[in-house]
Amino acid sequence: MTTHLSRRTLLGLAGAGAGAYLLSACGDDEPSDPNAPQTINWWHIQNTEPMLPVWAALATEYKAAHPNVTLDIQPLENEAFKAKLTTATQAGDPPDLFQSWGGGVLKQQVDAGLVKDITDDVKPWIGSLLPAALEPYTIDDKIYGVPFDIGMVGFWYNKDLFARAGITAAPTTWAGVLDAVRQLKAAGITPIALAGKDKWPAHYYWSYLAMRIGGVGALQKAVDDKNFDSPDLVAAGDRLKELVDLQPFQKGFLGAAYGTPDGQAATMGNGGAAMELMGQWAPAVQASSSTSKKGLGDKLGFFPFPTVDGGKGATTEVFGGGNGFAIGKDAPAATADFLKFLLSTDNQRKSAQTGAVLPTVREAATAIPDANGKLLAQTLASYTGFQLYLDQAYAPALGSQINDSVAELIAGNKSPAQIVKDITQVAKTV
């Protein structure tokens, strides 16, 4: 992230910090008169550059055209957002418009009656979006959220550090990744940046290895059978342990967060590590977290998660997801209209131009500014299988257990065989 945009940790309003941004003051009750005062409480995780000012500017633009509408905006760091949203939803009081990744978490909110069915609201314009992007937000053929971003997780690498280590081509196999790690270490270069404290970045490794070894259907079968204790999923842990045993991560990685000044993104953006496994938002967060605020620029490269020798999965099977918004159960009528405004072609182009968003509106894809973003978009256009982040695709308890179990494996506290048993135990209860 989850940032994993993951999800993941992204974007203080200019001059206002990360607090609430109040455009004007109005009442909270949904009016019957569409011209009566309405307040939209909007929570999002784009709490740094470059998307933070984009959202702020769009809010100001909408306010100018709809003077009866107030937008009370809370930009939150990813983990802080999830904690605050959990508290709000447990109290039965979700915000009017809030960050969502769809999947199992959204389904749980739907089942609890916390979000609106917006199928009819979006019907006139939803056809402009990529169908794959809508899948995580569609439950029982009804739409409960709209994605503004779609992408995939892959390896982002520092071209200069690869060259210094004598690596002339991006790895295409898992064995090649391990060889690259050895070469980087031999050259005195930290191979991989990882936010061990946040846990969700680590689950990407195990998830992708499970897909490459067992195929994209292996994870779905595990959920359906409520059994993750299979040879392919144990093998995924074995392959991950091969990497861990090489000690590839930066010093202090177990205590590192993703978006902090000394975290995973900053380590990459400041040239302190050669690789990170992260989603499409990585370049933007690397830049905003770096000392220069520019990141690696054209020194940054990308390659898809490679194949595993003997595995059933192909590199066209992608792991990832998109960022989107759901509408709370008591949201005022203007909320759906504001969401439509955010997803207009022109505004999707503005988001895409930052390099932090791969747009979900087809016609906005021409605004993607950099070669890496275009490569991701091309890869997604030819995908043969798609798996949403496991901590979003599954019920929250199961997703959290996967994150915890992979973290225990990486810390050396549990074996590959032990973690699938722990995950299975939780899977049987959800």
Coordinates of all heavy atoms in Angstrom, one line a residue, residues 207-257:
S207 N 1.9 -13.7 -1.4 CA 0.7 -13.7 -2.3 C 1.1 -14.0 -3.7 O 0.6 -14.9 -4.4 CB -0.1 -12.4 -2.2 OG -0.5 -12.2 -0.8
Y208 N 2.1 -13.2 -4.2 CA 2.6 -13.4 -5.5 C 3.2 -14.7 -5.8 O 3.0 -15.4 -6.8 CB 3.5 -12.3 -5.9 CG 3.0 -11.3 -7.0 CD1 3.2 -9.9 -6.8 CD2 2.4 -11.8 -8.1 CE1 2.8 -9.0 -7.8 CE2 1.9 -10.9 -9.1 CZ 2.1 -9.5 -8.9 OH 1.7 -8.7 -9.9
L209 N 4.0 -15.2 -4.8 CA 4.6 -16.5 -4.9 C 3.6 -17.6 -5.0 O 3.7 -18.5 -5.7 CB 5.6 -16.7 -3.8 CG 6.9 -16.0 -3.9 CD1 7.7 -16.0 -2.6 CD2 7.8 -16.6 -5.0
A210 N 2.5 -17.4 -4.2 CA 1.4 -18.4 -4.2 C 0.8 -18.4 -5.6 O 0.4 -19.5 -6.1 CB 0.4 -18.1 -3.2
M211 N 0.6 -17.3 -6.2 CA 0.0 -17.2 -7.6 C 0.9 -17.8 -8.6 O 0.5 -18.5 -9.5 CB -0.3 -15.7 -7.9 CG -1.4 -15.1 -7.1 SD -1.6 -13.3 -7.4 CE -1.8 -13.3 -9.2
R212 N 2.2 -17.5 -8.5 CA 3.2 -18.0 -9.5 C 3.4 -19.5 -9.4 O 3.6 -20.2 -10.4 CB 4.5 -17.3 -9.4 CG 4.5 -15.8 -9.7 CD 4.2 -15.6 -11.2 NE 4.2 -14.2 -11.5 CZ 3.2 -13.4 -11.7 NH1 2.0 -13.9 -11.5 NH2 3.3 -12.1 -12.0
I213 N 3.3 -20.0 -8.2 CA 3.4 -21.5 -8.0 C 2.2 -22.2 -8.3 O 2.2 -23.2 -9.0 CB 3.9 -21.8 -6.5 CG1 5.4 -21.2 -6.3 CG2 3.9 -23.3 -6.3 CD1 5.8 -21.2 -4.9
G214 N 1.0 -21.8 -7.7 CA -0.2 -22.5 -7.9 C -1.1 -22.0 -8.9 O -2.2 -22.6 -9.2
G215 N -0.8 -20.8 -9.5 CA -1.7 -20.2 -10.5 C -2.7 -19.3 -9.7 O -2.9 -19.5 -8.5
V216 N -3.3 -18.4 -10.4 CA -4.2 -17.4 -9.7 C -5.4 -18.1 -9.0 O -5.9 -17.6 -8.0 CB -4.7 -16.3 -10.7 CG1 -5.7 -16.9 -11.7 CG2 -5.3 -15.1 -10.0
G217 N -5.8 -19.3 -9.5 CA -6.9 -19.9 -8.8 C -6.6 -20.6 -7.5 O -7.5 -21.0 -6.8
A218 N -5.3 -20.7 -7.2 CA -4.9 -21.4 -5.9 C -5.4 -20.7 -4.7 O -5.8 -21.3 -3.7 CB -3.4 -21.5 -5.9
L219 N -5.3 -19.3 -4.7 CA -5.8 -18.6 -3.6 C -7.3 -18.6 -3.4 O -7.8 -18.7 -2.3 CB -5.3 -17.2 -3.7 CG -3.8 -17.0 -3.5 CD1 -3.3 -15.6 -3.9 CD2 -3.4 -17.3 -2.1
Q220 N -8.0 -18.6 -4.6 CA -9.5 -18.6 -4.5 C -9.9 -20.0 -4.0 O -10.9 -20.1 -3.2 CB -10.1 -18.4 -5.9 CG -11.6 -18.3 -5.9 CD -12.2 -17.2 -5.0 OE1 -11.8 -16.1 -5.1 NE2 -13.0 -17.6 -4.0
K221 N -9.2 -21.1 -4.4 CA -9.5 -22.4 -4.0 C -9.3 -22.5 -2.4 O -10.1 -23.1 -1.7 CB -8.7 -23.4 -4.7 CG -9.0 -24.9 -4.4 CD -8.2 -25.9 -5.2 CE -8.7 -27.3 -5.0 NZ -8.8 -27.8 -3.6
A222 N -8.3 -21.9 -2.0 CA -8.0 -21.9 -0.5 C -9.1 -21.3 0.3 O -9.5 -21.8 1.3 CB -6.7 -21.2 -0.2
V223 N -9.6 -20.2 -0.2 CA -10.7 -19.5 0.5 C -12.0 -20.4 0.4 O -12.7 -20.6 1.4 CB -11.0 -18.1 -0.2 CG1 -12.2 -17.5 0.5 CG2 -9.8 -17.2 0.1
D224 N -12.3 -20.9 -0.8 CA -13.5 -21.7 -1.0 C -13.5 -23.0 -0.1 O -14.5 -23.4 0.5 CB -13.6 -22.1 -2.4 CG -13.9 -20.9 -3.3 OD1 -14.3 -19.9 -2.8 OD2 -13.8 -21.1 -4.6
D225 N -12.3 -23.6 0.0 CA -12.1 -24.8 0.8 C -11.9 -24.5 2.3 O -11.8 -25.5 3.1 CB -11.0 -25.6 0.2 CG -11.2 -26.2 -1.2 OD1 -12.4 -26.1 -1.6 OD2 -10.3 -26.6 -1.8
K226 N -11.6 -23.2 2.6 CA -11.2 -22.9 4.0 C -10.0 -23.6 4.4 O -9.9 -24.1 5.5 CB -12.4 -23.1 4.9 CG -13.6 -22.2 4.7 CD -14.7 -22.3 5.7 CE -15.9 -21.4 5.5 NZ -15.5 -20.0 5.6
N227 N -9.1 -23.8 3.4 CA -7.9 -24.6 3.7 C -6.7 -24.0 2.9 O -6.6 -24.1 1.7 CB -8.1 -26.0 3.3 CG -6.8 -26.9 3.5 OD1 -6.0 -26.5 4.4 ND2 -6.7 -27.9 2.7
F228 N -5.8 -23.3 3.6 CA -4.6 -22.8 3.0 C -3.4 -23.7 3.2 O -2.3 -23.4 2.8 CB -4.2 -21.4 3.7 CG -5.1 -20.3 3.2 CD1 -6.5 -20.2 3.6 CD2 -4.7 -19.4 2.3 CE1 -7.3 -19.2 3.2 CE2 -5.5 -18.3 1.9 CZ -6.8 -18.3 2.3
D229 N -3.6 -24.9 3.8 CA -2.5 -25.8 4.1 C -2.4 -26.8 2.9 O -2.7 -28.0 3.0 CB -2.8 -26.6 5.4 CG -1.6 -27.4 5.9 OD1 -0.6 -27.4 5.2 OD2 -1.7 -28.0 6.9
S230 N -1.9 -26.2 1.8 CA -1.7 -27.0 0.6 C -0.3 -27.0 0.2 O 0.5 -26.1 0.6 CB -2.6 -26.5 -0.6 OG -2.1 -25.2 -0.9
P231 N 0.2 -27.9 -0.6 CA 1.6 -28.0 -1.0 C 2.0 -26.7 -1.7 O 3.1 -26.2 -1.5 CB 1.7 -29.2 -2.0 CG 0.6 -30.1 -1.5 CD -0.5 -29.2 -1.0
D232 N 1.2 -26.1 -2.6 CA 1.5 -24.9 -3.3 C 1.7 -23.7 -2.4 O 2.7 -22.9 -2.6 CB 0.5 -24.6 -4.4 CG 0.6 -25.5 -5.6 OD1 1.6 -26.2 -5.8 OD2 -0.4 -25.5 -6.4
L233 N 0.9 -23.6 -1.4 CA 1.0 -22.4 -0.5 C 2.1 -22.6 0.5 O 2.7 -21.6 1.0 CB -0.4 -22.2 0.2 CG -1.5 -21.9 -0.7 CD1 -2.8 -21.4 0.0 CD2 -1.2 -20.9 -1.8
V234 N 2.4 -23.8 0.9 CA 3.6 -24.1 1.7 C 4.8 -23.8 0.9 O 5.8 -23.1 1.4 CB 3.6 -25.5 2.2 CG1 5.0 -25.8 2.9 CG2 2.5 -25.8 3.2
A235 N 4.8 -24.1 -0.4 CA 6.0 -23.9 -1.2 C 6.2 -22.4 -1.4 O 7.3 -21.9 -1.5 CB 5.7 -24.5 -2.6
A236 N 5.1 -21.6 -1.4 CA 5.2 -20.1 -1.5 C 6.0 -19.6 -0.3 O 6.9 -18.7 -0.4 CB 3.8 -19.5 -1.5
G237 N 5.7 -20.1 0.9 CA 6.5 -19.8 2.1 C 7.9 -20.2 2.0 O 8.8 -19.5 2.4
D238 N 8.2 -21.4 1.4 CA 9.5 -21.9 1.3 C 10.3 -20.9 0.4 O 11.5 -20.6 0.6 CB 9.5 -23.3 0.7 CG 9.0 -24.3 1.6 OD1 9.1 -24.1 2.9 OD2 8.5 -25.4 1.2
R239 N 9.7 -20.5 -0.7 CA 10.4 -19.6 -1.7 C 10.7 -18.3 -1.0 O 11.7 -17.7 -1.2 CB 9.6 -19.4 -3.0 CG 9.3 -20.7 -3.8 CD 10.6 -21.3 -4.5 NE 11.4 -22.0 -3.6 CZ 11.1 -23.2 -3.1 NH1 10.0 -23.8 -3.5 NH2 11.9 -23.9 -2.3
L240 N 9.7 -17.8 -0.2 CA 9.9 -16.5 0.5 C 11.0 -16.6 1.5 O 11.9 -15.7 1.6 CB 8.6 -16.1 1.1 CG 8.7 -14.8 2.0 CD1 9.3 -13.6 1.2 CD2 7.3 -14.4 2.5
K241 N 11.1 -17.8 2.2 CA 12.2 -18.0 3.2 C 13.5 -18.0 2.5 O 14.5 -17.6 3.1 CB 11.9 -19.3 3.9 CG 12.9 -19.4 5.1 CD 12.5 -20.7 6.0 CE 13.4 -20.7 7.2 NZ 14.8 -20.8 6.9
E242 N 13.6 -18.5 1.2 CA 14.9 -18.4 0.5 C 15.4 -16.9 0.4 O 16.6 -16.7 0.6 CB 14.7 -18.9 -0.9 CG 14.4 -20.4 -1.0 CD 14.1 -20.9 -2.4 OE1 13.9 -20.0 -3.3 OE2 14.2 -22.1 -2.6
L243 N 14.4 -16.0 0.2 CA 14.8 -14.6 0.1 C 15.2 -14.1 1.5 O 16.2 -13.4 1.6 CB 13.6 -13.8 -0.5 CG 13.8 -12.3 -0.5 CD1 14.9 -11.9 -1.5 CD2 12.5 -11.6 -0.9
V244 N 14.4 -14.4 2.5 CA 14.6 -13.9 3.8 C 16.0 -14.3 4.3 O 16.7 -13.6 5.0 CB 13.5 -14.4 4.8 CG1 13.8 -14.0 6.2 CG2 12.2 -13.7 4.4
D245 N 16.3 -15.6 4.0 CA 17.6 -16.1 4.5 C 18.8 -15.4 3.9 O 19.9 -15.5 4.5 CB 17.7 -17.6 4.1 CG 16.8 -18.5 5.0 OD1 16.3 -18.0 6.0 OD2 16.6 -19.7 4.7
L246 N 18.6 -14.7 2.8 CA 19.7 -13.9 2.2 C 19.9 -12.5 2.9 O 20.8 -11.8 2.6 CB 19.4 -13.6 0.7 CG 19.5 -14.9 -0.2 CD1 19.1 -14.5 -1.6 CD2 20.8 -15.6 -0.1
Q247 N 19.0 -12.2 3.9 CA 19.0 -11.0 4.6 C 19.1 -9.8 3.7 O 20.0 -9.0 3.7 CB 20.2 -11.0 5.6 CG 20.1 -12.0 6.6 CD 21.3 -12.0 7.7 OE1 22.3 -11.4 7.4 NE2 21.1 -12.7 8.8
P248 N 18.1 -9.6 2.8 CA 18.1 -8.6 1.8 C 17.6 -7.2 2.2 O 17.8 -6.3 1.4 CB 17.2 -9.2 0.7 CG 16.1 -9.9 1.5 CD 16.9 -10.5 2.7
F249 N 17.0 -7.1 3.4 CA 16.3 -5.9 3.7 C 17.2 -4.9 4.4 O 18.2 -5.2 5.0 CB 15.0 -6.2 4.5 CG 14.2 -7.3 3.9 CD1 13.9 -8.4 4.6 CD2 13.6 -7.1 2.6 CE1 13.1 -9.4 4.0 CE2 12.8 -8.1 2.1 CZ 12.5 -9.2 2.8
Q250 N 16.7 -3.6 4.4 CA 17.5 -2.6 5.0 C 17.6 -2.8 6.5 O 16.8 -3.4 7.1 CB 16.9 -1.2 4.7 CG 15.7 -0.8 5.6 CD 14.4 -1.3 5.1 OE1 14.3 -2.2 4.3 NE2 13.3 -0.6 5.5
K251 N 18.6 -2.2 7.1 CA 18.8 -2.3 8.6 C 17.6 -1.7 9.3 O 17.1 -0.6 9.0 CB 20.0 -1.5 9.0 CG 20.4 -1.6 10.5 CD 21.7 -0.9 10.8 CE 22.0 -1.0 12.3 NZ 23.2 -0.2 12.6
G252 N 17.0 -2.4 10.3 CA 15.9 -2.0 11.0 C 14.6 -2.1 10.3 O 13.6 -1.5 10.7
F253 N 14.5 -3.0 9.3 CA 13.3 -3.0 8.5 C 12.1 -3.5 9.3 O 10.9 -3.2 9.0 CB 13.5 -4.0 7.3 CG 13.5 -5.4 7.6 CD1 12.3 -6.2 7.5 CD2 14.6 -6.1 8.0 CE1 12.3 -7.5 7.8 CE2 14.6 -7.5 8.3 CZ 13.4 -8.2 8.2
L254 N 12.3 -4.3 10.4 CA 11.2 -4.8 11.1 C 10.4 -3.7 11.9 O 9.2 -3.9 12.1 CB 11.6 -5.9 12.1 CG 12.0 -7.3 11.5 CD1 12.6 -8.2 12.6 CD2 10.8 -7.9 10.9
G255 N 11.1 -2.6 12.1 CA 10.5 -1.5 12.8 C 10.1 -0.4 11.8 O 9.6 0.7 12.3
A256 N 10.3 -0.6 10.5 CA 10.1 0.5 9.6 C 8.6 0.5 9.1 O 8.1 -0.6 8.8 CB 11.0 0.3 8.4
A257 N 8.1 1.7 9.0 CA 6.8 1.9 8.4 C 6.9 2.1 6.9 O 8.1 2.2 6.4 CB 6.0 3.0 9.0

